[in-house]
Amino acid sequence: MQLAFQKFHQKEIVMRKLIATIATIAGAAVAAGLLAAPAAQARAKLTPEQRLAKLLEGREAGKPESCISTYDSRELEVLDKTALVFGRGNTIYVNRPDNAKDIDSDDIMVTKTSTSQLCRLDIVTTVDRSGHFQTGFLNLGDFVPYKRTKRGN
């Protein structure tokens, strides 16, 4: 009986040490996550102007265009109170509406076109994402193309 009790007691000690080790590791992982999260958020939190500058890195501005194809406008990045960026790949188009201060990435952008182009002076209606009510409109300006520059020789 004494031998069985000793074996049980030894197993209990081993289990307690194992649980303590796991708790320590888990606590360290949580602490590391809590410390790393603010740093990652601070690093990722760029202003809309900084995000635009990052999108334009390695690109050269072309001559402003009054219209772009609706195909080119399918991909849209909304930069709050700054600009609308259309397209992906080698060429992106930046549009800074006259009333850029009203740009809000929380809104849905609704365009109504009668042609296959999105043009300067077209009006983009903004709609609340959750309530689906109209929140305003944007007066589009010129579309400035930014093409990737070729790498140096």
Side-chain angles (χ1 to χ4, degrees), residues 91-143:
T91 304
I92 60 174
Y93 297 88
V94 176
N95 190 294
R96 290 185 180 257
D98 295 335
N99 54 335
K101 67 182 181 342
D102 295 334
I103 297 174
D104 185 349
S105 60
D106 288 334
D107 287 339
I108 298 169
M109 307 293 156
V110 179
T111 59
K112 293 179 184 174
T113 60
S114 57
T115 66
S116 62
Q117 295 187 313
L118 187 59
C119 295
R120 177 173 38 104
L121 301 180
D122 280 352
I123 295 176
V124 176
T125 305
T126 57
V127 177
D128 180 76
R129 192 172 298 279
S130 57
H132 303 290
F133 54 87
Q134 185 174 337
T135 57
F137 63 91
L138 301 171
N139 298 317
L140 295 180
D142 283 327
F143 296 86

Side-chain angles (χ1 to χ4, degrees), residues 49-66:
E49 285 290 348
Q50 290 169 330
R51 285 179 46 212
L52 180 59
K54 193 166 186 73
L55 286 171
L56 299 179
E57 283 178 2
R59 296 179 183 270
E60 189 173 293
K63 180 181 174 191
E65 300 176 17
S66 59

